[in-house]
Amino acid sequence: MNQSPLSSPPPETKPPDPSPPARPLRDLAWAAGFLALLCGLSVAGYHALLVWKAGIDTGSEISYEQPTWSSQGSHLAYLRVETPTVPGKGTIHSQLWASGRFGDHRQLLAELPPGRFRILGWLLDDTRVILQPLEESSEGPRFLDVATDGSGGRWVRFSDSRMRVVGNGQREVFLERPHRNADGHASGVELVQWCPDSSGFSPLVTIPSRAAEQVRIESVAAAPDGQRLAVVLRVPAKDGPMGVWVFHRSRRTLTWTTISVPEARDLRLDWSGDSRSLVGAAWLGESSELYLVRDGPDPIPTRMRTSSGPLAFRPVWPRDGNRVLLLENQRVLEFDFQTHRARVLLAPQSLGLFPEELALSPLGSLVAFRAREGPVEDLYVLDLHGGRPEPLGHGAADLKARRTLLYEIAAGLEFAVAHWSGREPPASR
């Protein structure tokens, strides 16, 4: 009987694993964790981006103030003022900077104490910048004397609270203090000077007055040679008319110029480059008057111009001696002695900017001012003989940040978040 060949046995099979593999669950957990981390990083990144934008938009307001030319006209001193945008929150911080006339050789000279200051000027061949705090001290005047070589500054204090600052020259600061006679009664005022290289102040001249008609020094303008001082006096001290006297140091004489402006609210003076002539601009509230005083034994003034309207001029006599420039708010005018006419050298309409705090260089060819371009403020220098205003570049960093793609993305994200949350979208800048 034929038998069929034996078939091979079936392959052995293992019983199925009763528990499913754990890898898919682990992968799912890792994916969820990664997505959560990515979402967290995105939220944190978006939050940091919005905080960065808010820091640019709502941080302290930064301004560059009081451009002041050196006596040689090669440098500018100015203040960088950081003011909190929320009143009462924080303090005002200022820095004293110096720069070349077109933004080169920029240098931080001093970190100033909290509060506001005014720059009095450059002294001692432009080796010092003198500042005064605007907050009055009950103890007396005080100055901050800052060296321009970067070596720092020092406080100078006066213990007499009756003294006050009335002007400065190229070497000193002028102060007024009451003068008393032997029995202790007020008998006039004394003009004194303080120099950075001196240990104290020294008296210059005493201006007597009657007990019932006290005198007050409004301002002092020093001639470039330092020999003559033009002193603006008000008699009586409270609301009397203003007049101009000239004090000659070497002769020790005080000469009356016969300039007397009863209704003047302000009287500004400047000397010619040769220190021989004087120009004065009186502001009467609704008009202005311009005076010229030539050198001579009897300095009688000539009234050069009367302007109608509430114009307050500040005269500047450049060293070339051929003209007088008048600063009026946002304009610079050139006055001609022959025709008694003034022509406009600078007007905001021709710049596209609105200049503030105009400062003319000693030669009268350059003007520095501060202005705002969009949301950013900067200092500008302009050649009055032609050209466009050149920014010193302080506001460039903020302006550049606002013009980046990152800032635009942050602005769009801020708008989207406000829209999704139902809040009012932020105002465009």
Side-chain angles (χ1 to χ4, degrees), residues 305 313 326 333-336 339-344:
R305 175 185 172 90
F313 293 118
L326 303 175
L333 297 88
E334 183 181 57
F335 181 78
D336 191 312
T339 63
H340 291 195
R341 295 182 178 275
R343 67 184 183 98
V344 178

Side-chain angles (χ1 to χ4, degrees), residues 104-115:
D104 52 335
H105 310 298
R106 192 182 305 167
Q107 182 183 12
L108 173 62
L109 297 182
E111 292 275 359
L112 305 181

Side-chain angles (χ1 to χ4, degrees), residues 60-361:
S60 298
E61 185 76 17
I62 296 176
S63 60
Y64 300 91
E65 304 176 0
Q66 302 182 46
T68 305
W69 289 97
S70 63
S71 60
Q72 302 300 321
S74 58
H75 286 78
L76 277 169
Y78 49 90
L79 297 179
R80 179 188 185 273
V81 182
E82 188 173 347
T83 307
T85 55
V86 180
K89 300 293 185 180
T91 57
I92 298 174
H93 294 281
S94 301
Q95 296 175 334
L96 175 64
W97 283 78
S99 169
R101 59 184 185 177
F102 292 116
D104 52 335
H105 310 298
R106 192 182 305 167
Q107 182 183 12
L108 173 62
L109 297 182
E111 292 275 359
L112 305 181
R116 287 198 172 273
F117 291 78
R118 68 172 174 134
I119 300 176
L120 294 179
W122 299 69
L123 272 65
L124 297 184
D125 297 326
D126 298 339
T127 61
R128 298 283 212 283
V129 177
I130 308 299
L131 304 97
Q132 184 184 22
L134 292 184
E135 292 80 8
E136 295 184 356
S137 172
S138 59
E139 300 176 354
R142 51 193 178 127
F143 311 113
L144 195 56
D145 174 20
V146 180
T148 58
D149 61 2
S151 59
R154 58 167 181 152
W155 279 105
V156 179
R157 302 176 186 270
F158 295 87
S159 58
D160 192 343
S161 60
R162 301 171 302 166
M163 298 176 67
R164 62 186 185 87
V165 177
V166 292
N168 64 278
Q170 295 184 11
R171 295 193 57 84
E172 68 271 286
V173 175
F174 302 109
L175 303 99
E176 177 208 73
R177 69 172 180 178
H179 183 267
R180 301 186 180 278
N181 54 25
D183 57 5
H185 293 91
S187 59
V189 294
E190 191 174 24
L191 179 64
V192 302
Q193 68 172 357
W194 169 83
C195 301
D197 54 356
S198 64
S199 57
F201 62 84
S202 56
L204 291 175
V205 62
T206 299
I207 303 171
S209 65
R210 293 176 294 182
E213 197 176 59
Q214 292 298 312
V215 64
R216 172 187 172 93
I217 299 178
E218 292 290 333
S219 64
V220 176
D225 64 1
Q227 281 298 308
R228 293 175 175 87
L229 304 179
V231 184
V232 178
L233 300 177
R234 187 187 288 274
V235 185
K238 186 176 181 181
D239 55 0
M242 288 187 184
V244 180
W245 294 73
V246 175
F247 174 67
H248 199 291
R249 293 190 200 233
S250 60
R251 300 175 189 167
R252 309 296 298 174
T253 58
L254 192 64
T255 307
W256 169 238
T257 66
T258 71
I259 292 180
S260 181
V261 192
E263 302 87 7
R265 300 185 185 181
D266 195 11
L267 182 56
R268 305 290 183 92
L269 306 173
D270 198 21
W271 288 91
S272 61
D274 60 5
S275 303
R276 300 175 63 87
S277 301
L278 184 69
V279 64
W283 181 46
L284 310 181
E286 293 301 325
S287 63
S288 295
E289 294 181 350
L290 191 65
Y291 297 89
L292 176 66
V293 180
R294 294 291 189 184
D295 186 35
D298 189 14
I300 298 177
T302 302
R303 183 180 295 178
M304 305 294 292
R305 175 185 172 90
T306 299
S307 299
S308 60
L311 303 177
F313 293 118
R314 287 181 289 134
V316 177
W317 201 325
R319 290 178 183 169
D320 56 21
N322 298 324
R323 60 207 170 109
V324 166
L325 301 181
L326 303 175
L327 280 65
E328 184 266 316
N329 196 9
Q330 297 175 335
R331 300 190 303 165
V332 178
L333 297 88
E334 183 181 57
F335 181 78
D336 191 312
F337 288 131
Q338 303 299 323
T339 63
H340 291 195
R341 295 182 178 275
R343 67 184 183 98
V344 178
L345 295 182
L346 171 64
Q349 294 85 352
S350 62
L351 295 179
L353 299 170
F354 293 93
E356 299 179 22
E357 297 186 348
L358 299 175
L360 285 171
S361 65

